[in-house]
Amino acid sequence: MTTETVETVQTKDIQINVLFKKMQKDDKKEVLMFHILSDETKHAADLLRLTGKMTILTISDDEGPYEPIQAEFVNLQRDNKKTVLKFNVATEDVDRVNAIYPAAGTNISLLIQPQQMSIDDLEAEHEGIEYEVGSDGTVKVDSSQDDEKS
């Protein structure tokens, strides 16, 4: 009998200084592009692990941090002059994206946090059950909701 070992790789939050190169809009999403300003090779492995996954971006400039935005980390392109990070933001976050527009074209601090859901989870509509998560991680579900559905 063989046993399969599953290795989980924890990706941590990444804080880097970048040039907020541009914002581009198409029919279904906003595209955000950032150029890494300094030698961020210490984050290279973590950035590669996040490519293709959902993230939470927090942009900070001289005015302070903007509201976090959910975005898919589409790709990372490196050449001998720069590293480009490209993110897709769903149109549901359009107000938050519009709020960061003044920071485009400037040097900013970018916090990239891994998110547990996939792009499919974000786009899918679900009927849910209301619940509360306690500080100890326990989940409390309101049982009166079952009565309402019956």
Side-chain angles (χ1 to χ4, degrees), residues 53-70:
K53 296 191 172 54
M54 290 302 297
T55 62
I56 299 172
L57 304 179
T58 305
I59 293 172
S60 300
D61 61 10
D62 295 338
E63 305 295 317
Y66 292 88
E67 276 192 73
I69 298 171
Q70 293 182 16

Side-chain angles (χ1 to χ4, degrees), residues 13-24:
D13 296 355
I14 301 169
Q15 181 87 40
I16 52 178
N17 294 317
V18 296
L19 168 63
F20 185 177
K21 184 63 175 174
K22 68 179 177 177
M23 296 173 58
Q24 188 174 350

Side-chain angles (χ1 to χ4, degrees), residues 92-111:
E92 292 82 38
D93 269 349
V94 70
D95 292 337
R96 291 180 182 187
V97 172
N98 289 340
I100 64 171
Y101 183 76
T106 64
N107 295 341
I108 57 152
S109 176
L110 179 65
L111 175 62

Side-chain angles (χ1 to χ4, degrees), residues 59-140:
I59 293 172
S60 300
D61 61 10
D62 295 338
E63 305 295 317
Y66 292 88
E67 276 192 73
I69 298 171
Q70 293 182 16
E72 179 186 14
F73 188 176
V74 179
N75 67 25
L76 177 143
Q77 297 174 330
R78 281 192 268 188
D79 62 28
N80 57 355
K81 294 181 183 179
K82 64 186 175 299
T83 301
V84 178
L85 309 176
K86 183 178 174 184
F87 295 87
N88 286 347
V89 180
T91 54
E92 292 82 38
D93 269 349
V94 70
D95 292 337
R96 291 180 182 187
V97 172
N98 289 340
I100 64 171
Y101 183 76
T106 64
N107 295 341
I108 57 152
S109 176
L110 179 65
L111 175 62
I112 306 169
Q113 298 172 291
Q115 189 170 4
Q116 298 304 314
M117 64 174 38
S118 71
I119 190 77
D120 296 329
D121 293 334
L122 184 66
E123 292 174 352
E125 290 188 27
H126 301 281
E127 275 191 38
I129 297 173
E130 290 187 30
Y131 63 92
E132 294 178 18
V133 178
S135 60
D136 62 351
T138 58
V139 177
K140 182 174 144 184

Side-chain angles (χ1 to χ4, degrees), residues 2-3 7 25 37 62 69 105 111 116 124:
T2 60
T3 58
E7 183 180 332
K25 185 175 186 163
L37 298 173
D62 295 338
I69 298 171
L111 175 62
Q116 298 304 314

